[in-house]
Structures are given as structure tokens and as C-alpha cells.
Amino acid sequence: MRSSIRTTWQKSTVLFVFASIIITLCSIAACFKTDNSNKESLQCGGCSFSRQTIIKTQYKKETEDYCPATNDLHIYEKTTVNRIDRLKNMAKIEAGTFTIGTNEPVFVADGEGPKQQIYLHSFYIDKMEVSNRDFAKFVSVTNYRTEAEKFGDSFVFEGLLDEKVRANVTLVVARAPWWLQVKDANWQQPEGPTSDIKNRMDHPVVHVSWNDAIAYCEWLGKRLPTEAEWEVACRGGLSDKLYPWGNNLIPNGRYRANTWQGDFPSNNTKEDKYESTSPVTEFPPNKYGLRNMIGNVWEWTFDWWTTETRTRGGPNNPSGPSRGTDKVKKGGSYLCHKSYCFRYRCAARSQNTPDTTAGNLGFRCALST
């Protein structure tokens, strides 16, 4: 009897230790969970806002259940063949000293300045934003569900909604009423249940949170670029220029980015041919071979948000402060206009909470050398 009890106790102890290890692994794997109830961050009439919600029970459970260490995310083995495959459609930025920031900030409160010199190790960055086609492959393999799908809604620009969807909207962003919280809006249904991406597979994926972007990058064995890496990549080897190609937004009368033309938010003249997103292959690349570094969609970066230069990580490979509440996004979007949100500049910056999703939020990946 004693032997039986001892054996049973030993088995129970082993199971307990095993369960503890699994829980620890999930914690280490950083299964992101954010409760940003009643939080609102608005700049420039709504360039930056945060999801306002209390985490729903089902969403909270799914978030706790999801753990990269135990889900099929890390499918790319670290072999030479797969590394070569990962580097397809990526540009290498050689190590060096670069200038970021500006001494002529448009939005001082955003921490756009001052100009500073930094050193970066060499790194790779995607030549194009992650497309719907790219993201669909990820979802097909992993069965991943985005945060917008778990929450059951996301933010959509009013001008893109049909009357049927708009009639059922009850929540809007208070100081930016053109942003509507639309039920069932997600990456597959960018404007809600009456829309789809069948003819937009080469457009950037939208309605992806920072957490969703991290999951995708990890699946490929990549990561998000730091803010400094993103800005250096955006500048394309140029210094002290507003845009990836210079200071003229429309050189020789040719549009080189997808932004808003006309009067925001009521009249988009679509002189660049696009009302919403454009294909990730559209518009000429900068000197590093990168497309759509400004306009089209805001792009998530790795860094936590701060407006204090001294807390961004110093002059060598800065990666932002160690903690925060919001993540940095860069590049502006198809909704940006000089009179409203002049943030389609390399030095410009904004922020959202890691669980925020919207119809103009996307990303691209980076990779260390």
C-alpha cells in the first residue's frame, strides 16, 4: 500500500512539474494580453486612437490559450535553404551611421526631433508591406485568428462603408467621427460583412494588431523593424529629406505614394488613383528598393512609444524603452493629408496600443543579419 501511494505521489509530482514548465514556457513566449478599457489617445484629429473595450470573456480565454511556443508558428527551421527563402523580397541595409529625426518637426508633441546620429548593425527589411496573399498563407497553415476577429469588430473609415453597414454602426471615435467601430470588420472583410479581399490579394493586409504582426513575423523566423531601422530604411540613403525620394511630394507631376487628395474627410479626388489601399507593388521604390514606405498603410514597429529622445535606446542600435502602453507606428496612410495628418514623412511618428486594429494599419517584417 505504501509503495502504491509513493508511486502515485511521484507520478503526481512529475505531472505537476511538467505542467509548471508548460505554463512557464507560455509566459516566456510572450503571449500578449492587453486590457485598454476606457483608454483613448487622439492626435491630429484621429491619426492615433486606441481600442476602447473591456476584454470579452471568450476573447480573454482565446488569448490565454494562444501561445507561440505550443502553436505551429515556428515552422521555419534555421537552415541555409530556409534562410535564403526568408530573404526573398527583402533588402539588406548595410551597417553604418545614419541620421534620424528632424530639427524642423511638424508635430513637436510627437517627439519628431531633434535630429540625431545613430549606428545600426546591418539588417534586412521587406521590400513591400505584408499583403493579404502573404497573410492568408500564414492563416492557412496556423489557423491563426486575429484580434479583430476575436473582438468581433474593428475601426473603419466612414467614407468606405456602404449604407447598409453604416446604418448598423453605433460606436464612433469621439474626436474623429469618421472612424467607426464596425462589427465583423477584419482582415478578410476590411469594410465589414459586405466586403471581401478577392480582388485585393496584392493589397496590404489591414486590421492587424501589433500582436498579430508579431505572430506573423515569428512564423517566418523574422521580427518587426525597430523604429530607427524603419526610419533609416524609409530615407533610402538620403539625409534631411521629407520623403523617401526627396522634398517634393509629387516630383515631375507623378505620384509616388498613396495619400489623400482633396478635402479631408469629405472629398477624396483620388488623383493617385486610389480611394483606399493600393497594391504593395504600386509606386516606384526608393534607393533601397523599398516600396510604399510612406502612405498606403501605417506600419507597426517593434518599439514602445516615448516622446523623449533620451529614452529611445541611445546611439547604438536603439530599440525603444523597455516598457510602455503604446507601440510606435510609422509612415502614414491613404487617409493622410497635409491639412489633417501630415505624417507621411520619414521622421513622422504616431502610436497605438498593441491590440488596436484599423483599416489603415499594416506592417512589414525585418530580419537581423
Side-chain angles (χ1 to χ4, degrees), residues 1-18:
M1 177 66 74
R2 290 177 181 274
S3 176
S4 176
I5 292 173
R6 186 182 299 111
T7 301
T8 301
W9 180 83
Q10 289 173 338
K11 289 181 178 179
S12 299
T13 302
V14 171
L15 288 173
F16 176 79
V17 171
F18 181 73

Side-chain angles (χ1 to χ4, degrees), residues 32 208-215 224 300-302 327 354-356:
F32 302 102
V208 285
S209 68
W210 185 90
N211 297 325
D212 297 330
I214 286 289
L224 285 176
W300 289 112
T301 71
F302 173 80
K327 288 290 185 177
D355 64 351
T356 295

Side-chain angles (χ1 to χ4, degrees), residues 86-128:
R86 286 200 299 274
L87 294 179
K88 288 179 180 178
N89 297 316
M90 298 191 85
K92 184 179 182 181
I93 312 299
E94 297 292 349
T97 300
F98 305 93
T99 300
I100 61 172
T102 177
N103 288 335
E104 298 179 354
V106 175
F107 301 108
V108 176
D110 285 357
E112 294 179 0
K115 185 168 61 175
Q116 58 179 317
Q117 273 200 333
I118 60 165
Y119 173 82
L120 290 179
H121 290 318
S122 59
F123 65 97
Y124 294 94
I125 189 166
D126 288 348
K127 293 179 180 179
M128 294 169 283

Side-chain angles (χ1 to χ4, degrees), residues 4 15 61 68 115 133 141 164 251 254 261 277 319 339 365:
S4 176
L15 288 173
K61 180 180 184 303
K115 185 168 61 175
R133 182 175 289 105
V141 171
K164 182 179 179 181
R254 294 182 59 202
Q261 297 88 50
T277 58
S319 58
S339 67
C365 303

